[in-house]
């Protein structure tokens, strides 16, 4: 039995894929290989699945690679320990205990995610409390990230667009205001000093009452690009939700198209738009 990897960091979205093969030379061996450590991790979980399902070793030759760079879970968990709408009881993240006490369930969670090829997790609700970005809470996030990292899970946070006002003491959150851009750059620097492999921000803006760039006569591209620029020096990404309401278009199913199609080509390279499975709200019939 042999494993091979380059030593490149787990949790990177650059996973290339893995192979599992059986060889007889120079001696009988099962070889799990990949270009990065995280690739070999995925190969190991696939090999375990073969063993648990009784797959003959003579039939396990496999080559696999991810089609999507980010394969994420977006949690609806809040800093007060609740989960939006109460669908799943209390939050997995025990914020009151962190960072001093790290629940062993976090390791179980990381292993479960990695076993099915997930590589990212946004820990908090997209209807985000700005307080998650306060220094004391970032230390708690860093403690979780330390557990997720060995399993190839990159940590993201949902950011409240009005955080410069809510926790930063500024009079505006205008994405084109120099002080606002500087505040986000400083916040990104602080986060990466604690979590060097931080993935970036997921942002819900100008939707369902959440603050956003429209309050200042700016576009979604203006808002996303300002955050993308703050994250870019660290290799981070802003994931900007395209699930929006209102602002001119009356057909509910066309709203996202009406708002984002005119902005095609205006987003930074490290800004990605996140859509739902359908134009309404996760309706499978769509």
């Amino acid at each position: 039995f042999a494993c091979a990897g380059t030593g490149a960091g787990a949790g990177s979205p650059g996973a290339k894929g893995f192979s599992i093969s059986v060889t007889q030379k120079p001696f009988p061996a099962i070889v799990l290989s990949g270009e990065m450590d995280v690739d070999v991790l995925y190969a190991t979980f696939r090999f375990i699945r073969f063993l648990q399902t009784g797959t003959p070793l003579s039939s396990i030759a496999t080559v696999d690679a991810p089609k999507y760079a980010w394969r994420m879970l977006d949690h609806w968990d809040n800093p007060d320990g609740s989960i939006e709408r109460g669908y799943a009881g209390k939050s997995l993240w025990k914020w009151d205990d962190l960072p001093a006490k790290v629940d062993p369930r976090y390791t179980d969670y990381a292993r479960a995610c990695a076993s099915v090829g997930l590589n990212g997790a946004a820990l908090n609700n997209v209807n985000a409390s700005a307080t998650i970005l306060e220094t004391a809470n970032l230390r708690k996030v860093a403690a979780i990230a330390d557990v997720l990292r060995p399993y190839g899970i990159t940590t993201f946070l949902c950011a409240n667009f009005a955080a410069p006002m809510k926790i930063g003491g500024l009079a505006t959150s205008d994405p084109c205001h120099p002080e606002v851009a500087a505040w986000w750059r400083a916040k990104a620097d602080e986060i990466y000093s604690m979590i060097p492999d931080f993935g970036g921000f997921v942002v819900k803006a100008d939707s369902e009452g959440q603050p956003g760039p429209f309050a200042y006569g700016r576009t979604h591209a203006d808002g996303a690009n300002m955050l993308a620029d703050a994250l870019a020096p660290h290799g981070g990404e802003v994931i900007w939700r395209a699930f929006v309401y209102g602002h001119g278009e009356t057909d509910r199913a066309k709203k996202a198209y009406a708002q984002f199609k005119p902005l095609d080509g205006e987003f930074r390279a490290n800004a990605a738009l996140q859509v739902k499975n359908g134009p309404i709200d996760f309706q499978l019939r769509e």
Side-chain angles (χ1 to χ4, degrees):
F1 181 84
C3 294
T6 63
S12 167
K16 305 299 183 184
F18 65 82
S19 66
I20 302 175
S21 60
V22 178
T23 182
Q24 300 299 323
K25 296 180 180 180
F27 50 82
I30 299 170
V31 180
L32 280 58
S33 63
E35 291 189 27
M36 305 175 69
D37 289 353
V38 69
D39 293 315
V40 179
L41 177 68
Y42 296 147
T44 302
F45 280 117
R46 181 67 62 84
F47 180 68
I48 291 172
R49 186 185 310 171
F50 285 144
L51 295 180
Q52 292 178 334
T53 55
T55 303
L57 295 184
S58 59
S59 304
I60 65 171
T62 301
V63 176
D64 202 355
K67 291 183 174 63
Y68 292 95
W70 288 117
R71 303 170 301 280
M72 295 175 59
L73 292 182
D74 288 352
H75 287 262
W76 279 15
D77 300 44
N78 300 310
D80 65 1
S82 66
I83 297 176
E84 178 153 330
R85 304 191 189 184
Y87 288 145
K90 298 290 289 183
S91 172
L92 171 66
W93 319 120
K94 296 182 179 179
W95 299 110
D96 290 342
D97 294 342
L98 291 162
K101 182 178 179 181
V102 178
D103 194 307
R105 293 179 69 202
Y106 304 161
T107 300
D108 298 336
Y109 167 87
R111 188 180 189 278
C113 288
S115 74
V116 292
L118 297 178
N119 70 345
L123 304 186
N124 62 312
N125 188 2
V126 75
N127 293 323
S129 169
T131 61
I132 196 68
L133 298 180
E134 293 177 339
T135 300
N137 285 328
L138 290 176
R139 293 192 182 102
K140 299 177 181 184
V141 172
I144 297 174
D146 288 344
V147 177
L148 303 187
R149 185 176 299 112
Y151 289 89
I153 311 300
T154 298
T155 299
F156 287 76
L157 287 175
C158 295
N160 187 298
F161 193 79
M165 298 172 65
K166 292 179 179 292
I167 65 171
L170 300 188
T172 181
S173 292
D174 183 347
C176 295
H177 195 292
E179 287 188 3
V180 173
W183 187 90
W184 282 107
R185 288 196 300 270
K187 182 56 64 175
D189 291 345
E190 180 186 16
I191 292 172
Y192 281 94
S193 72
M194 301 183 191
I195 311 169
D197 59 344
F198 182 67
F201 298 131
V202 179
V203 182
K204 176 181 181 179
D206 288 308
S207 177
E208 298 180 325
Q210 294 301 303
F214 285 3
Y216 308 98
R218 313 301 186 185
T219 68
H220 285 293
D222 292 329
N225 289 342
M226 181 268 295
L227 293 173
D229 289 344
L231 295 165
H234 306 281
E237 185 166 359
V238 59
I239 300 177
W240 192 268
R241 280 179 38 127
F243 182 65
V244 293
Y245 291 156
H247 303 290
E249 176 57 57
T250 58
D251 187 326
R252 178 71 185 82
K254 293 180 180 178
K255 292 183 188 296
Y257 179 87
Q259 288 191 41
F260 285 94
K261 180 61 171 68
L263 301 175
D264 187 28
E266 295 187 16
F267 290 88
R268 297 285 192 268
N270 64 323
L273 299 182
Q274 184 187 67
V275 299
K276 292 196 175 183
N277 290 336
I280 306 299
D281 196 354
F282 288 122
Q283 299 298 315
L284 297 183
R285 66 179 182 275
E286 297 173 334

